[in-house]
Amino acid sequence: MIERDIILVDMDDTLAGFYNGSTASISPPDRVSRTEFYSEHNYPPELHGSIESTYLAPGFHRSLEPLPDIHHGWHTLIENGFKPRIASAPNLNNPTCIEDKIGWVEDNMVSAFGHSVIDEMIIDKEKWKYPALALIDDRPTVAKGPNGNHVATWEHVLYGWENLPVVPLADTAFRLIRWSDIDSIIPTLNSLRNTKG
Protein backbone atom coordinates (compact mmCIF):
# COMPACT_ATOMS: atom_id res chain seq x y z
CA MET A 1 0.00 0.00 0.00
CA ILE A 2 1.17 3.52 -0.77
CA GLU A 3 1.47 5.60 2.38
CA ARG A 4 -0.30 8.65 0.94
CA ASP A 5 -3.43 6.57 0.20
CA ILE A 6 -3.76 4.82 3.57
CA ILE A 7 -6.32 6.11 6.06
CA LEU A 8 -6.02 4.53 9.49
CA VAL A 9 -9.40 4.23 11.25
CA ASP A 10 -9.81 3.70 14.97
CA MET A 11 -12.49 1.27 16.26
CA ASP A 12 -13.84 2.30 19.68
CA ASP A 13 -16.30 5.19 19.27
CA THR A 14 -15.16 5.63 15.67
CA LEU A 15 -16.59 2.43 14.17
CA ALA A 16 -18.08 0.69 17.24
CA GLY A 17 -20.21 2.26 19.98
CA PHE A 18 -17.89 1.86 22.97
CA TYR A 19 -19.33 4.70 25.09
CA ASN A 20 -22.92 3.54 24.81
CA GLY A 21 -21.89 -0.06 25.38
CA SER A 22 -19.76 0.70 28.41
CA THR A 23 -22.50 2.77 30.08
CA ALA A 24 -25.33 0.32 29.35
CA SER A 25 -25.68 -0.50 33.06
CA ILE A 26 -26.72 3.08 33.83
CA SER A 27 -30.48 3.68 33.73
CA PRO A 28 -31.62 5.84 30.78
CA PRO A 29 -32.73 8.83 32.93
CA ASP A 30 -29.23 9.01 34.44
CA ARG A 31 -27.26 8.73 31.20
CA VAL A 32 -25.34 11.80 30.01
CA SER A 33 -23.75 12.87 26.74
CA ARG A 34 -20.04 12.26 26.49
CA THR A 35 -17.84 15.23 27.35
CA GLU A 36 -14.78 13.32 28.64
CA PHE A 37 -12.76 10.76 26.67
CA TYR A 38 -12.85 7.95 29.25
CA SER A 39 -16.38 6.63 29.76
CA GLU A 40 -16.29 6.57 33.57
CA HIS A 41 -15.03 10.18 33.77
CA ASN A 42 -18.43 11.35 32.53
CA TYR A 43 -20.07 9.98 35.70
CA PRO A 44 -19.65 10.32 39.47
CA PRO A 45 -17.15 8.00 41.22
CA GLU A 46 -19.83 5.67 42.59
CA LEU A 47 -20.63 4.57 39.01
CA HIS A 48 -17.04 4.03 37.87
CA GLY A 49 -16.89 0.41 39.04
CA SER A 50 -19.95 -0.71 37.10
CA ILE A 51 -18.75 1.04 33.94
CA GLU A 52 -15.27 -0.50 34.20
CA SER A 53 -16.63 -3.98 34.91
CA THR A 54 -18.80 -3.67 31.80
CA TYR A 55 -15.97 -2.83 29.40
CA LEU A 56 -13.54 -5.28 30.99
CA ALA A 57 -15.95 -8.21 30.65
CA PRO A 58 -15.07 -10.96 28.15
CA GLY A 59 -17.05 -10.54 24.95
CA PHE A 60 -17.66 -6.81 25.47
CA HIS A 61 -15.89 -5.55 22.34
CA ARG A 62 -17.56 -8.05 20.04
CA SER A 63 -20.99 -7.06 21.36
CA LEU A 64 -20.72 -3.37 20.49
CA GLU A 65 -23.20 -1.81 18.08
CA PRO A 66 -21.69 -0.45 14.86
CA LEU A 67 -21.96 3.32 14.59
CA PRO A 68 -24.32 4.67 11.92
CA ASP A 69 -23.10 4.88 8.32
CA ILE A 70 -19.73 3.17 8.84
CA HIS A 71 -20.13 1.22 5.60
CA HIS A 72 -20.99 4.43 3.73
CA GLY A 73 -17.87 6.10 5.13
CA TRP A 74 -15.63 3.14 4.28
CA HIS A 75 -17.07 2.88 0.74
CA THR A 76 -16.62 6.61 0.18
CA LEU A 77 -12.96 6.49 1.19
CA ILE A 78 -12.38 3.59 -1.23
CA GLU A 79 -14.29 5.31 -4.04
CA ASN A 80 -12.02 8.34 -3.65
CA GLY A 81 -8.87 6.26 -4.04
CA PHE A 82 -8.04 5.84 -0.36
CA LYS A 83 -7.21 2.59 1.42
CA PRO A 84 -8.89 2.56 4.85
CA ARG A 85 -7.30 0.28 7.43
CA ILE A 86 -8.42 -0.35 11.00
CA ALA A 87 -5.94 0.71 13.71
CA SER A 88 -7.16 0.02 17.23
CA ALA A 89 -5.48 0.10 20.63
CA PRO A 90 -6.03 -3.02 22.76
CA ASN A 91 -7.20 -2.88 26.35
CA LEU A 92 -4.92 -5.48 27.88
CA ASN A 93 -6.99 -5.53 31.08
CA ASN A 94 -9.81 -7.16 29.13
CA PRO A 95 -8.80 -10.82 28.64
CA THR A 96 -10.61 -11.25 25.30
CA CYS A 97 -10.20 -7.73 23.91
CA ILE A 98 -8.05 -8.59 20.89
CA GLU A 99 -10.01 -11.64 19.77
CA ASP A 100 -13.29 -9.75 20.34
CA LYS A 101 -12.13 -6.81 18.22
CA ILE A 102 -11.22 -9.19 15.41
CA GLY A 103 -14.59 -10.88 15.88
CA TRP A 104 -16.39 -7.53 15.71
CA VAL A 105 -14.71 -6.78 12.39
CA GLU A 106 -15.65 -10.22 11.13
CA ASP A 107 -19.27 -9.66 12.17
CA ASN A 108 -19.64 -6.09 10.93
CA MET A 109 -17.17 -5.42 8.10
CA VAL A 110 -16.08 -8.60 6.31
CA SER A 111 -19.36 -9.28 4.49
CA ALA A 112 -19.20 -5.84 2.88
CA PHE A 113 -15.45 -5.41 2.36
CA GLY A 114 -13.85 -8.84 2.39
CA HIS A 115 -11.45 -10.63 4.72
CA SER A 116 -8.65 -8.19 3.88
CA VAL A 117 -10.18 -5.85 6.48
CA ILE A 118 -9.02 -8.34 9.12
CA ASP A 119 -5.77 -9.23 7.33
CA GLU A 120 -4.70 -5.56 7.26
CA MET A 121 -6.02 -4.70 10.72
CA ILE A 122 -3.61 -3.16 13.26
CA ILE A 123 -4.09 -3.73 16.99
CA ASP A 124 -1.45 -1.63 18.72
CA LYS A 125 -1.43 1.34 21.09
CA GLU A 126 1.49 2.91 19.21
CA LYS A 127 -0.35 4.03 16.09
CA TRP A 128 2.43 6.45 15.25
CA LYS A 129 4.53 3.49 14.03
CA TYR A 130 2.27 2.95 11.00
CA PRO A 131 2.72 5.15 7.92
CA ALA A 132 -0.47 6.70 6.58
CA LEU A 133 -1.98 9.89 5.25
CA ALA A 134 -4.45 10.32 8.11
CA LEU A 135 -5.71 8.70 11.30
CA ILE A 136 -9.45 9.04 11.99
CA ASP A 137 -9.76 8.63 15.76
CA ASP A 138 -12.11 9.88 18.50
CA ARG A 139 -9.27 10.42 21.00
CA PRO A 140 -8.77 14.21 21.27
CA THR A 141 -4.99 13.87 21.66
CA VAL A 142 -3.24 10.97 19.95
CA ALA A 143 0.42 10.16 20.62
CA LYS A 144 2.45 10.92 17.50
CA GLY A 145 5.66 9.31 18.68
CA PRO A 146 7.59 7.97 21.68
CA ASN A 147 8.41 10.25 24.60
CA GLY A 148 6.59 13.22 23.06
CA ASN A 149 8.52 13.07 19.78
CA HIS A 150 6.56 13.57 16.56
CA VAL A 151 7.37 10.77 14.14
CA ALA A 152 3.90 9.90 12.81
CA THR A 153 3.48 10.53 9.09
CA TRP A 154 -0.30 10.89 9.38
CA GLU A 155 -2.52 13.81 10.29
CA HIS A 156 -5.11 13.24 13.01
CA VAL A 157 -8.77 13.67 12.02
CA LEU A 158 -10.85 13.87 15.21
CA TYR A 159 -14.00 11.76 14.93
CA GLY A 160 -17.34 12.23 16.67
CA TRP A 161 -18.25 14.37 19.69
CA GLU A 162 -21.48 15.49 18.00
CA ASN A 163 -22.64 17.34 21.12
CA LEU A 164 -19.48 19.45 21.39
CA PRO A 165 -18.66 22.21 18.89
CA VAL A 166 -15.19 22.41 20.46
CA VAL A 167 -13.58 19.33 22.05
CA PRO A 168 -11.40 20.06 25.09
CA LEU A 169 -7.70 19.28 24.63
CA ALA A 170 -8.12 18.32 20.96
CA ASP A 171 -4.79 18.75 19.17
CA THR A 172 -6.00 18.74 15.57
CA ALA A 173 -7.75 21.17 13.26
CA PHE A 174 -9.40 18.36 11.28
CA ARG A 175 -12.78 16.94 12.32
CA LEU A 176 -15.29 14.41 11.07
CA ILE A 177 -18.45 14.56 13.18
CA ARG A 178 -20.22 11.50 11.75
CA TRP A 179 -19.74 9.05 8.89
CA SER A 180 -22.70 10.51 6.99
CA ASP A 181 -20.56 13.69 6.68
CA ILE A 182 -17.63 11.86 5.06
CA ASP A 183 -17.88 13.96 1.90
CA SER A 184 -16.92 17.01 3.98
CA ILE A 185 -13.47 15.59 4.80
CA ILE A 186 -12.59 14.23 1.33
CA PRO A 187 -11.29 17.61 0.03
CA THR A 188 -9.03 17.86 3.10
CA LEU A 189 -7.73 14.34 2.55
CA ASN A 190 -7.12 15.06 -1.12
CA SER A 191 -5.22 18.22 -0.22
CA LEU A 192 -3.07 16.30 2.26
CA ARG A 193 -2.45 13.62 -0.35
CA ASN A 194 -1.39 16.20 -2.92
CA THR A 195 1.17 17.67 -0.52
CA LYS A 196 2.74 14.20 -0.21
CA GLY A 197 3.17 14.13 -3.99
Side-chain angles (χ1 to χ4, degrees), residues 69-131:
D69 301 306
I70 59 171
H71 285 190
H72 167 68
W74 205 268
H75 272 301
T76 301
L77 289 171
I78 292 170
E79 288 168 358
N80 282 274
F82 297 105
K83 295 180 172 70
R85 182 180 185 189
I86 292 170
S88 185
N91 183 340
L92 300 180
N93 293 316
N94 180 315
T96 63
C97 175
I98 293 174
E99 66 190 77
D100 288 337
K101 287 193 175 205
I102 294 169
W104 187 94
V105 175
E106 184 174 13
D107 296 342
N108 293 283
M109 303 292 285
V110 168
S111 63
F113 303 104
H115 203 272
S116 63
V117 182
I118 292 177
D119 296 338
E120 297 174 353
M121 184 177 177
I122 298 163
I123 300 181
D124 192 340
K125 286 185 180 293
E126 297 177 335
K127 299 178 184 181
W128 49 267
K129 295 191 296 189
Y130 301 92

Side-chain angles (χ1 to χ4, degrees), residues 22 25 40 43-56:
S22 64
S25 65
E40 60 270 29
Y43 290 91
E46 59 268 23
L47 296 177
H48 290 189
S50 66
I51 294 170
E52 290 175 2
S53 66
T54 298
Y55 67 69
L56 294 179

